[in-house]
Amino acid sequence: MLDHLVLATPDVDDTAADLAGRHLHTLEGGPHVGVGTRNRLAGIGPGRYLEVVGPDPAQDEPDAPRPFRIDTLTAPALVTWAVRVDDLDAALDAARAAGHDPGPARDMSRRRPDGTLLAWRLAFPPDDAGGVLPFLIDWGATRHPSSDLPVPASLRTLRLAHPDPERVTALLDAVGAGGEAEVVAGESPSLQAVLDLPGGPLVL
């Protein structure tokens, strides 16, 4: 199932302020130590959230490029999305059996401002079709981040555009994400989400 959307940005606080001005308030998530990033989160429905992620000025420059093309961004962009699985290893095996390389499993963690440590495992596909193909995430025993978030918005639609929509649809099926998003033909890969807010829809 859809876990979260990733809104990458060159400046987390500026983007959070802009979203707040459009009635979508985010809460501090925490730093990804060693990766050079930090995030803020907003609930967008039961079991779902929006992650605003960008450089963490409190950290040293990381040894590797930051994820989600953050180092090259000049403006916020909806860059990819995550699908939640209960057993990452089984999901990876199933995806490979269906002809999709979901990437290797990686251990990740971050500490919330209240000191709570969140730990999870994920896998990024080496070919994410321009961000259209999701990465897989397994929260294990960690309480899901959305459980502690207010839900100021709900996700109305997630639209994925790609020059080969049939391939994208088949690969979404391979990771158990069929039906989670609308897949359409487009000249280049892109993602668009529409959130319903009390003040009206917000398009990302």
Side-chain angles (χ1 to χ4, degrees):
M1 64 179 295
L2 191 153
D3 187 79
H4 67 277
L5 306 178
V6 179
L7 184 68
T9 175
D11 191 307
V12 173
D13 291 332
D14 280 355
T15 299
D18 177 66
L19 291 174
R22 294 190 279 173
H23 309 289
L24 181 60
H25 296 276
T26 59
L27 298 181
E28 186 69 35
H32 306 103
V33 177
V35 182
T37 58
R38 59 181 277 254
N39 64 15
R40 295 182 65 90
L41 312 177
I44 57 171
R48 298 174 170 181
Y49 66 93
L50 173 70
E51 176 184 21
V52 180
V53 60
D56 181 4
Q59 294 187 53
D60 293 334
E61 283 295 309
D63 295 331
R66 294 176 178 86
F68 308 125
R69 307 190 299 276
I70 286 170
D71 294 326
T72 64
L73 291 176
T74 58
L78 189 64
V79 294
T80 193
W81 56 302
V83 166
R84 183 161 72 249
V85 297
D86 294 326
D87 185 333
L88 182 61
D89 294 319
L92 297 182
D93 288 343
R96 293 180 185 121
H100 173 50
D101 180 5
R106 297 175 54 190
D107 294 325
M108 295 285 294
S109 66
R110 67 173 169 85
R111 197 170 291 279
R112 298 192 325 191
D114 65 4
T116 301
L117 181 67
L118 306 184
W120 64 94
R121 299 174 71 217
L122 53 71
F124 288 104
D127 174 13
D128 66 359
V132 167
L133 294 180
F135 62 95
L136 304 182
I137 190 165
D138 180 351
W139 290 97
T142 289
R143 181 178 172 87
H144 193 263
S146 67
S147 302
D148 301 310
L149 292 173
V151 185
S154 62
L155 177 62
R156 181 193 300 180
T157 58
L158 173 61
R159 175 176 290 186
L160 313 174
H162 193 271
D164 190 351
E166 291 79 11
R167 172 177 173 267
V168 169
T169 298
L171 294 178
L172 291 180
D173 289 340
V175 296
E180 292 286 353
E182 179 186 2
V183 182
V184 299
E187 292 185 4
S188 59
S190 65
L191 300 84
Q192 182 192 77
V194 179
L195 306 179
D196 284 325
L197 288 157
L202 172 63
V203 179
L204 299 174

